[in-house]
Amino acid sequence: MPVPATVGYIPPVSTAEQAPDPVRDPWRQAMRLAVREARLAAEGGDVPVGAVVLAPDGTTVLASGHNEREATGDPTAHAEVLAIRRAAAALGEWRLTGCTLVVTLEPCTMCAGALVQSRVDRVVYGARDEKAGAAGSLWDVVRDRRLNHRPEVIEGVLADECAQQLTSFFRDR
């Protein structure tokens, strides 16, 4: 039953009308690119996870990747690892200092380790992974104080859209 329009009633805010989010808004465009990459993974029968690596300017895309485990038979062919490898090749250096990795799903322990080792400055992710996440959900590898490098973590960018891709993929299997 609809709520009657009365004095003092404030209708719910639609997604399009939400207040600006200065932490997450700058990463939405890059996350949309990662979401497109995730679609490519699903089309190939892989779990829909996509990633992009941004140059230190925060806007230039150095590399992208999507899960290719099924396509290649490589258990390490996660979106993040592939994007990191390609970004390092583009830069001609293994250190991705100043770079940002944007990924649709919270990185697992393998990918979190790769992020620390590659010296990425920032990790931006969409959906949390309560079963295998290593950037704050189940573990927090990327911010472990015992490690020599700890990237900044920004979570929840286009989280609903990212989670919906995963939900749809697994529901249809």
Side-chain angles (χ1 to χ4, degrees):
M1 172 177 269
V3 177
T6 60
V7 176
Y9 171 71
I10 300 173
V13 176
S14 74
T15 306
E17 298 171 356
Q18 286 180 346
D21 183 341
V23 173
R24 291 173 186 82
D25 288 351
W27 309 110
R28 290 181 192 276
Q29 183 176 353
M31 186 62 77
R32 285 187 180 90
L33 296 174
V35 166
R36 277 192 240 151
E37 282 289 328
R39 273 191 219 113
L40 295 174
E43 289 170 9
D46 273 285
V47 175
V49 178
V52 297
V53 176
L54 302 175
D57 67 9
T59 59
T60 304
V61 176
L62 290 176
S64 63
H66 56 270
N67 277 359
E68 295 181 18
R69 293 182 307 167
E70 297 297 330
T72 63
D74 179 356
T76 68
H78 286 206
E80 301 95 321
V81 170
L82 296 174
I84 288 168
R85 287 177 185 161
R86 293 169 185 158
L91 289 175
E93 180 177 2
W94 65 268
R95 287 179 191 86
L96 300 181
T97 306
C99 295
T100 299
L101 180 117
V102 180
V103 61
T104 58
L105 180 65
E106 179 181 1
C108 69
T109 53
M110 176 182 70
C111 294
L115 291 164
V116 170
Q117 293 301 316
S118 66
R119 309 300 194 267
V120 166
D121 276 12
R122 184 177 302 103
V123 180
V124 177
Y125 70 86
R128 287 175 63 92
D129 186 349
E130 300 293 341
K131 294 181 180 179
S137 291
L138 187 57
W139 295 287
D140 203 351
V141 171
V142 295
R143 292 180 284 204
D144 189 316
R145 294 198 175 276
R146 295 169 292 185
L147 299 175
N148 64 333
H149 179 73
R150 291 178 296 281
E152 174 187 10
V153 176
I154 299 171
E155 67 173 272
V157 177
L158 300 180
D160 292 340
E161 187 175 341
C162 294
Q164 183 58 45
Q165 269 190 318
L166 291 158
T167 300
S168 295
F169 178 80
F170 288 111
R171 183 179 44 233
D172 296 343
R173 296 204 98 184

